Amino acid sequence: MTQSEVINELAGALSKAQGEMQAAIKDKVNPFFKSSYADLGSVWDAARPVLSKHGLCVMQTTELSADATRIVMVTTLAHTSGQWVKSFMPLNPTKNDSQGIGAALTYLRRYSLSAIVGVVCDDDDDGETAVGRGKNQNGQAANQNQQPAAPKESEVIERLGKAEIVAITTLIQKLDEENGKSFLDWIKKNFNAASLQEIPKTYYEKCVASLNAKIKYLNDKNSMAVA
């Protein structure tokens, strides 16, 4: 992250804007996570009016990395005083084609925008789901007396990050509903993972390879059917 020499006026304006900013409306549903989320438009709707009111604007552009091997998303928050801050996030598209790059850009625009201005848009259950105490089907909290023991340091497993989850989700979306469900059943059986977020990071490559193999098989099958 970089910034102008001073950002006192920008920080003051952003502080006032954040005091008036509402959470983004989660109006989209992820069929694989079974959860709602705010898309890029919703984040902009929450941020734009108060940012403009206080003389702030956001610009999102792309540039090549220093070694010219990757596209980098550049998000700039600027103030009418001329002060600014910039954040940089490299793209990691699942496929290096227009569709894959476009999906990665949209994803990074949403998260970069919400992060730099402070819009809240992710699901938040106070960490209950993360420790196995999410709501049951009746909407009631699970018995707090059944809290699992904290894992020992040696038992802590690193899970997939957001970039890996987006990459896998993009591949799943290329499958039909039946095969998408079959993949979710497969990770549950093999990795004891009820969702993509619970897949151990060490199995990321195996998941990608499995999905690519399934996509290739289905494409070949469809090509033969057409022929």
Side-chain angles (χ1 to χ4, degrees):
M1 185 170 182
T2 60
Q3 64 181 58
S4 55
E5 186 174 353
V6 293
I7 59 169
N8 59 313
E9 292 189 52
L10 183 152
L14 182 59
S15 176
K16 293 177 182 177
Q18 288 178 338
E20 302 173 16
M21 202 174 294
Q22 301 295 315
I25 298 174
K26 291 177 279 190
D27 56 355
K28 301 295 181 181
V29 176
N30 188 310
F32 301 105
F33 298 164
K34 306 300 182 184
S35 61
S36 59
Y37 69 96
D39 65 5
L40 178 61
S42 293
V43 177
W44 265 117
D45 287 343
R48 185 183 291 109
V50 290
L51 291 178
S52 298
K53 176 181 176 181
H54 294 285
L56 296 163
C57 69
V58 175
M59 296 167 280
Q60 293 186 300
T61 57
T62 58
E63 63 182 36
L64 285 177
S65 59
D67 58 4
T69 61
R70 304 184 73 178
I71 299 174
V72 178
M73 166 70 69
V74 183
T75 300
T76 305
L77 174 64
H79 185 248
T80 52
S81 64
Q83 298 175 4
W84 54 269
V85 294
K86 288 185 179 182
S87 69
F88 303 85
M89 188 174 292
L91 267 69
N92 186 28
T94 304
K95 293 182 65 178
N96 194 27
D97 57 16
S98 57
Q99 183 178 15
I101 293 174
L105 279 172
T106 299
Y107 179 84
L108 289 187
R109 285 185 65 195
R110 176 161 60 98
Y111 275 94
S112 296
L113 172 62
S114 61
I116 203 166
V117 302
V119 172
V120 177
C121 59
D122 289 333
D123 286 327
D124 183 3
D125 63 359
D126 199 28
E128 292 299 290
T129 300
V131 295
R133 297 198 306 270
K135 293 182 178 180
N136 58 26
Q137 292 181 348
N138 294 324
Q140 301 297 322
N143 189 339
Q144 293 187 0
N145 292 328
Q146 297 178 354
Q147 298 178 17
K152 298 178 181 179
E153 184 176 355
S154 60
E155 297 174 342
V156 175
I157 299 174
E158 185 179 6
R159 306 295 179 180
L160 295 185
K162 288 183 178 179
E164 289 90 356
I165 290 174
V166 169
I168 289 179
T169 301
T170 301
L171 291 174
I172 292 176
Q173 290 173 342
K174 296 180 181 180
L175 301 174
D176 54 32
E177 183 176 354
E178 180 180 353
N179 282 288
K181 183 178 183 301
S182 176
F183 174 77
L184 295 179
D185 291 339
W186 179 74
I187 65 171
K188 184 175 183 179
K189 178 180 178 181
N190 288 273
F191 311 136
N192 193 28
S195 66
L196 300 186
Q197 295 97 323
E198 296 179 13
I199 299 175
K201 196 165 187 175
T202 53
Y203 293 109
Y204 170 68
E205 296 295 340
K206 185 173 183 179
C207 289
V208 170
S210 175
L211 285 168
N212 280 326
K214 174 63 71 173
I215 292 170
K216 184 178 184 303
Y217 168 77
L218 292 174
N219 288 340
D220 291 345
K221 183 179 179 181
N222 290 335
S223 297
M224 292 177 63
V226 172

